Amino acid sequence: MKLPASLIKSPTVLKREKWLGYLIGPAGALLLNAVLATYLNVYYTDVLNLTPLWGGVFLAVFPIVSKIIDAITNVVMGQIIDRTKHKEGKARPWLFLSAFLVPVTAVLLFTVPNASDGVKAIWVMISYNLFYSFAYTIFNMSHGLMVPLSTRDSKARGGLSVFNQITTIMMSGILVALVFPMVVMPMIGADKSKWILLMTILSIVALPLTLLEYFFTKERITEEIQESGGEKKRTFGEQMKTLFTDKYMLLIYGYFFVTTVGATIKNLGLVYYCNYVLGTYNDGITQMLVSVIGGLPMGIGIFAGWPLAKKFGKRNVTMAGCALIATGSLICWMFPTNMVVVLIGQFIKNMGGLPGSYVFMALFADCLDHVEWKSDERIDGTAMSIYSIIAVAMVGIMTGVFNALLANAGYLAPITATSTADAASQLAANGWTAQLALENLKPAADGVLTVGLQQPAGVNWVITFAFVGLEVITSIIAFVLLFFLNVEKKLPKIQAEIRARHGIAGGETAETAEESVNASDAVADAVNAVREADPEADGTDDKGSE
């Protein structure tokens, strides 16, 4: 199939490639995913009121069952990517396709018809799998491979990893964590039509941005292998054996698994924690404060993440971060209703999250190089399929677990009313208690009143453990796993031998020499173009090499 050509022709990583391909391009799809990770379950429980469906079984079981499908499609997609041979690469063609699939399926998630419970359940299951098991799987795997396939040099990859992660932090740590609870959520409340309008707008924005990522990325490693005559592809079973007999891949997968479990449950619990334990329903203040204070370190990380990793090593700073996450989470867990203490704990916790957030993909790419050195084969697609299975499957599985715990504890969804009298009537009829006096509640622009309810003690315990308790445990386990992940020490030898196999003389080519200088300024380039010390900034950025 003929596809538009990449606008990046240079053998070295260019400034516009970093800014457009790795910083701005992924923003649309990542914003959609961040919104869904935080609010899709809220939409199911609070807008569609699906918590009691089938005795609470539906929301507990369907996400888990869906992730079985998702796991299968991830494996299939990994094999497809590994066997794709196209002049535009093996992952980028699928990135192009995902630009159109992701927006359409994202809208379908929210356009659930006003019909019987059975029809709603079928729509939710189909739309959920169309997005997560099909469209977002294609995007997530192809997007995730852009850093590992971008260049051979680990320092340059680290710089691109920082750029890529800045986008993720901006979307989840600023827009979704700050703007949404403070501005968007109070405006849309539990109004289904407003949710649909919001997701339609976000989906429209995602399409051109994803195309931007496609046009401004380049698979240099894939091209290198193609030029050297390609490589013999092993069977899926042989590839899996190669991956799961490599100790570094086992360790990086183990680390990613436990941290993903903790982070997923935390993300699911965030809105509920701010609505019921620390604050009141959609008060516009609590979640904003938690996100601002907790998210400040992510901004600091733009300056400090990669420089610290270069100085002390990616593994070492990530281990130190795990210790801080455990400490901050424990502080919050001990005093879950004290705003000041929770904010302090969140700040410490997110300081600990800096290294893992900004350099993980570079560390993952180092492990992929070790696999290539050991087996003489790039297994990027299959390796990424396992990574993606962990990433997306945990969303479904942990959502099911979280919903099951909420239902078992007796979670009470908010109610909507046309007036305070209507609200009082509903409360009295069901024996519920509102969080706030009804006269203190402000209706939305259309006059609809959303009333948050006081939750049983068991619900508050579940929410608190989800948001601040579980990561105490997972971060300690992650620390232990990282202790044995010392692949960085062996990387210079590994890189030299791989280059020799592909006929690249010497330990460093002109390409890697320029990329090393380029990567050293990647962080400064991302936050302050005026101070950029990148050699590409001399005005020959796109002319001399392209």
Side-chain angles (χ1 to χ4, degrees), residues 327-343:
T327 302
S329 298
L330 183 60
I331 291 172
C332 295
W333 200 8
M334 293 171 63
F335 304 95
T337 61
N338 187 308
M339 176 68 77
V340 174
V341 174
V342 168
L343 293 180

Side-chain angles (χ1 to χ4, degrees), residues 172-361:
S172 61
I174 297 178
L175 288 179
V176 175
L178 302 184
V179 177
F180 270 67
M182 188 168 55
V183 179
V184 178
M185 296 308 298
M187 290 176 58
I188 65 176
D191 189 320
K192 181 180 175 182
S193 62
K194 293 177 181 177
W195 279 89
I196 295 173
L197 176 62
L198 171 66
M199 295 309 300
T200 301
I201 294 172
L202 294 180
S203 297
I204 292 173
V205 171
L207 194 153
L209 288 178
T210 307
L211 289 177
L212 199 65
E213 180 179 5
Y214 169 79
F215 281 111
F216 288 93
T217 50
K218 181 180 178 68
E219 294 183 30
R220 293 176 179 84
I221 291 181
T222 303
E223 293 176 3
E224 172 190 302
I225 294 173
Q226 289 174 346
E227 290 172 3
S228 66
E231 58 185 357
K232 181 181 178 181
K233 288 298 179 185
R234 294 174 172 84
T235 65
F236 173 69
E238 291 172 335
Q239 289 181 334
M240 292 294 286
K241 181 179 179 181
T242 298
L243 287 174
F244 285 100
T245 54
D246 187 285
K247 66 177 181 179
Y248 294 124
M249 291 306 301
L250 287 175
L251 288 169
I252 198 73
Y253 281 143
Y255 164 80
F256 185 60
F257 174 81
V258 296
T259 54
T260 299
V261 168
T264 302
I265 289 290
K266 177 197 69 177
N267 291 337
L268 288 166
L270 169 63
V271 177
Y272 299 89
Y273 179 79
C274 293
N275 281 346
Y276 299 111
V277 179
L278 195 60
T280 55
Y281 194 83
N282 280 351
D283 56 29
I285 299 295
T286 305
Q287 190 177 340
M288 182 271 293
L289 287 174
V290 170
S291 299
V292 167
I293 300 300
L296 280 177
M298 291 294 105
I300 298 172
I302 298 176
F303 298 91
W306 183 239
L308 286 173
K310 286 197 296 181
K311 183 174 182 179
F312 300 105
K314 296 186 285 287
R315 180 204 66 162
N316 293 338
V317 295
T318 307
M319 285 178 63
C322 288
L324 287 177
I325 293 173
T327 302
S329 298
L330 183 60
I331 291 172
C332 295
W333 200 8
M334 293 171 63
F335 304 95
T337 61
N338 187 308
M339 176 68 77
V340 174
V341 174
V342 168
L343 293 180
I344 293 172
Q346 286 296 299
F347 185 85
I348 295 172
K349 177 179 179 179
N350 283 277
M351 283 292 289
L354 285 177
S357 296
Y358 283 104
V359 305
F360 172 80
M361 193 50 66

